[in-house]
Amino acid sequence: MLKNSKLVQVTEQYFIAIVLIGWVLFDFTSFKREIIAIKELPRILSLSHDEKKRAIDGQIYDFAQAIVNNTQPNASMIFLYENPNRLRKALYYLYPRRVTPAHLAVKTGDLPMHGYLAAYLDEGHPSWKALNEDASLERIQEGHGGAIYRVKGR
């Protein structure tokens, strides 16, 4: 009887060990991203602040920096966009500038109150032609997926 219980105990230990090893091997795919991230940590820590922002947010960061370089901190602008994530990122990077989404500026009728229009649209969007032909807008910067216009007379 004693030999039988010892056999059960050893069998249980092997079973638990096999289950744990199987779980770790099976779940390795979940930890793969974390392992890669840990390996990349020294490279990420050596990047400058701008390089980190560019790596995370890409072109919208570069576009926001172009706006910062071409406008005053108290500037007021309309932001024309397609993707709401682009607006959120732009609002974050453009503070303290007053940024109004284009659809709200049209709805409230305060279009003429803004000094700038920033357009961040996909290439080939139909609005590009209208913006470039609008006589009340002067293009001051282009690139990084968008364009910045100064409203003439402001």
Side-chain angles (χ1 to χ4, degrees), residues 8-96:
V8 169
Q9 237 179 1
V10 170
T11 305
E12 284 177 358
Q13 289 173 349
Y14 280 127
F15 178 74
I16 291 171
I18 290 170
V19 167
L20 285 174
I21 290 169
W23 175 70
V24 168
L25 291 175
F26 181 73
D27 206 37
F28 178 74
T29 56
S30 299
F31 295 110
K32 188 176 182 180
R33 289 180 55 199
E34 284 78 8
I35 292 169
I36 291 170
I38 290 170
K39 287 180 180 178
E40 289 289 315
L41 199 56
R43 186 188 66 79
I44 292 168
L45 290 175
S46 68
L47 295 176
S48 70
H49 177 74
D50 283 339
E51 290 170 331
K52 288 176 188 174
K53 293 294 182 186
R54 195 169 289 110
I56 292 169
D57 295 324
Q59 276 193 328
I60 191 68
Y61 175 75
D62 292 328
F63 182 60
Q65 289 307 302
I67 293 172
V68 167
N69 294 335
N70 286 289
T71 62
Q72 302 80 21
N74 63 348
S76 175
M77 72 183 59
I78 297 169
F79 196 82
L80 182 60
Y81 64 95
E82 287 180 301
N83 183 334
N85 289 330
R86 293 175 178 172
L87 175 66
R88 282 188 223 109
K89 296 287 185 176
L91 290 172
Y92 174 77
Y93 290 124
L94 295 176
Y95 181 82

Side-chain angles (χ1 to χ4, degrees), residues 74-143:
N74 63 348
S76 175
M77 72 183 59
I78 297 169
F79 196 82
L80 182 60
Y81 64 95
E82 287 180 301
N83 183 334
N85 289 330
R86 293 175 178 172
L87 175 66
R88 282 188 223 109
K89 296 287 185 176
L91 290 172
Y92 174 77
Y93 290 124
L94 295 176
Y95 181 82
R97 290 156 186 80
R98 180 173 170 239
V99 179
T100 304
H103 69 280
L104 291 179
V106 170
K107 195 182 292 185
T108 59
D110 68 348
L111 282 169
M113 300 186 67
H114 298 278
Y116 297 92
L117 183 135
Y120 195 80
L121 303 167
D122 291 332
E123 193 174 322
H125 192 278
S127 295
W128 284 122
K129 184 177 181 197
L131 289 170
N132 291 327
E133 292 173 355
D134 192 331
S136 66
L137 298 174
E138 172 191 357
R139 181 180 274 197
I140 58 173
Q141 173 78 32
E142 180 180 6

